[in-house]
Amino acid sequence: MAIHIRPLTAEDGEAAAAIFFDAVHKGTADVYSAAQRRAWAGAAPSPTRWRRTFADVSGVAAEVDGVMAGFMTLDTKGYIDLAFVRSDLSGRGVGRALYDRIEARARAEGIARLTTEVSKKARPFFERMGWQVDAEQTVVKDGIRLTNFQMSKPLAFD
């Protein structure tokens, strides 16, 4: 399967909304309840919100067969805020391709430490990429409690 990585744009909002909704509702069904997934991602995708979000973030998108398959963002301080892959492509290298590009960019920009907050589902992926759990935390969305993890990875430079 060929994976093409490109810059994320505001025009990716509609596809990203669908990917986010799918990744949360289908991809995390084994670790979060239906109520937790609904509190996290809502009852329907929100393309308008995602277009606004992408107007102000920097990141990359993955395409498979010309269709967006996932995305990941990175801010100037090394924080990965958004990292989602279509559930039908989970475990097929899309997340790894996105992450490799983000880490390479962070290194090129001289960022010494990456941080993020990840779901129960994403934690094993980030651990495989060399990240450590700094803290388990509970967030409340629409009155519903969700467990996630603060994680980090120092970047060594030659």
Side-chain angles (χ1 to χ4, degrees), residues 28-96:
T28 70
D30 59 334
V31 293
Y32 292 108
S33 71
Q36 288 172 317
R37 296 188 320 267
R38 196 170 33 261
W40 182 5
S46 178
T48 302
R49 181 176 72 92
W50 283 95
R51 278 192 293 276
R52 284 194 309 265
T53 297
F54 284 178
D56 296 324
V57 300
S58 178
V60 292
E63 292 182 348
V64 174
D65 297 327
V67 177
M68 194 165 147
F71 58 94
M72 194 173 287
T73 64
L74 177 70
D75 74 12
T76 58
K77 294 180 177 140
Y79 183 71
I80 296 174
D81 185 29
L82 303 168
F84 295 96
V85 172
R86 281 184 5 216
S87 64
D88 63 329
L89 294 174
S90 180
R92 305 215 26 224
V94 175
R96 177 66 184 248

Side-chain angles (χ1 to χ4, degrees), residues 9 12-14 22 24-25 35 56 84 95 102 111 145 154:
T9 68
D12 290 321
E14 188 168 339
D22 167 76
V24 172
H25 282 281
D56 296 324
F84 295 96
I102 288 291
I111 295 171
R145 299 169 67 84

Side-chain angles (χ1 to χ4, degrees), residues 107 111-112 154-158:
R107 288 178 185 281
I111 295 171
L155 298 180
F157 293 92
D158 296 330

